[in-house]
Amino acid sequence: IFGVSFIINHEEALLFTSILAIGSKGISLKKIFSVMIISRVLGFIYNFFGTMLGFVENRSILFYRDGQIIVRNDFGFGHPNLLHSSILIIVLLYFFLRYYKISIMDYCVILSINYFFFQFSASRTGYYSVIIAVLIHIISRSDLYSNILRKIVPYVQFTLSFIILLLSYLYNNSLI
């Protein structure tokens, strides 16, 4: 099925995902994620120091936000948002691998790194995504998690739909 999808759509993502799923049969997720986090961190370090030393191109994007022009750097990731999405993926892999072993100091280091790179990328989506991931991780480790989850989940879709409609109305004076 994935091979036919590749031939028709010329999209490699499904083909590579199916090859990965078939090839990783019998291998624990922890081992796969360990290799992923090592390769992601090494790639991140290479891009960061490669741009500092001039081996990798650091594209700067001028962006108009909040009445002023800001400079957004990509550190070799192609776009500033991809820089922060890479940080988010590393953080999520770290949370998976060390779920119960994470300390307050780990949270402080993660949030400091997040803020440091936000100063260069100005990627609000990535910045807030990492903060939300940290908050969700903290909440999921608490004793009140199951009680909170049972009370909140039934209302999330309705609440978020209402917030989206309200914000779109306030922003555009339209519900579209």
Side-chain angles (χ1 to χ4, degrees):
I1 294 174
F2 296 114
V4 173
S5 174
F6 172 71
I7 293 170
I8 294 171
N9 298 326
H10 304 290
E11 291 288 328
E12 298 104 9
L14 285 176
L15 183 64
F16 290 146
T17 303
S18 65
I19 291 171
L20 176 68
I22 292 168
S24 63
K25 183 179 179 184
I27 302 173
S28 74
L29 276 178
K30 192 168 187 172
K31 288 182 182 178
I32 293 172
F33 287 169
S34 295
V35 170
M36 284 177 65
I37 196 168
I38 290 169
S39 62
R40 287 264 180 190
V41 168
L42 289 176
F44 191 89
I45 291 169
Y46 169 77
N47 272 2
F48 180 70
F49 287 112
T51 56
M52 294 294 137
L53 298 173
F55 299 131
V56 178
E57 181 185 3
N58 180 20
R59 289 189 298 206
S60 297
I61 299 170
L62 297 176
F63 198 78
Y64 185 77
R65 181 184 289 165
D66 299 328
Q68 61 183 356
I69 294 177
I70 60 171
V71 178
R72 301 178 70 191
N73 297 300
D74 73 351
F75 286 111
F77 285 91
H79 194 277
N81 290 347
L82 292 176
L83 164 67
H84 244 89
S85 70
S86 182
I87 293 170
L88 176 64
I89 291 170
I90 291 169
V91 168
L92 293 175
L93 288 169
Y94 185 74
F95 285 166
F96 179 82
L97 293 172
R98 297 186 43 89
Y99 188 78
Y100 290 108
K101 298 175 186 171
I102 295 176
S103 67
I104 293 173
M105 189 61 158
D106 292 328
Y107 292 130
C108 292
V109 169
I110 289 169
L111 293 174
S112 298
I113 291 170
N114 186 37
Y115 182 74
F116 174 77
F117 283 104
F118 175 71
Q119 298 304 309
F120 298 102
S121 73
S123 174
R124 294 183 294 194
T125 305
Y127 179 71
Y128 293 126
S129 296
V130 171
I131 292 172
I132 290 170
V134 168
L135 290 174
I136 289 173
H137 187 265
I138 291 169
I139 291 170
S140 70
R141 288 181 52 190
S142 72
D143 295 333
L144 301 173
Y145 172 65
S146 60
N147 294 332
I148 293 172
L149 193 62
R150 285 189 200 121
K151 292 177 183 175
I152 291 177
V153 167
Y155 306 105
V156 168
Q157 184 177 3
F158 174 75
T159 306
L160 290 178
S161 299
F162 176 74
I163 290 170
I164 289 170
L165 289 173
L166 178 68
L167 290 176
S168 67
Y169 180 75
L170 293 173
Y171 187 72
N172 293 329
N173 292 329
S174 163
L175 289 177
I176 297 177

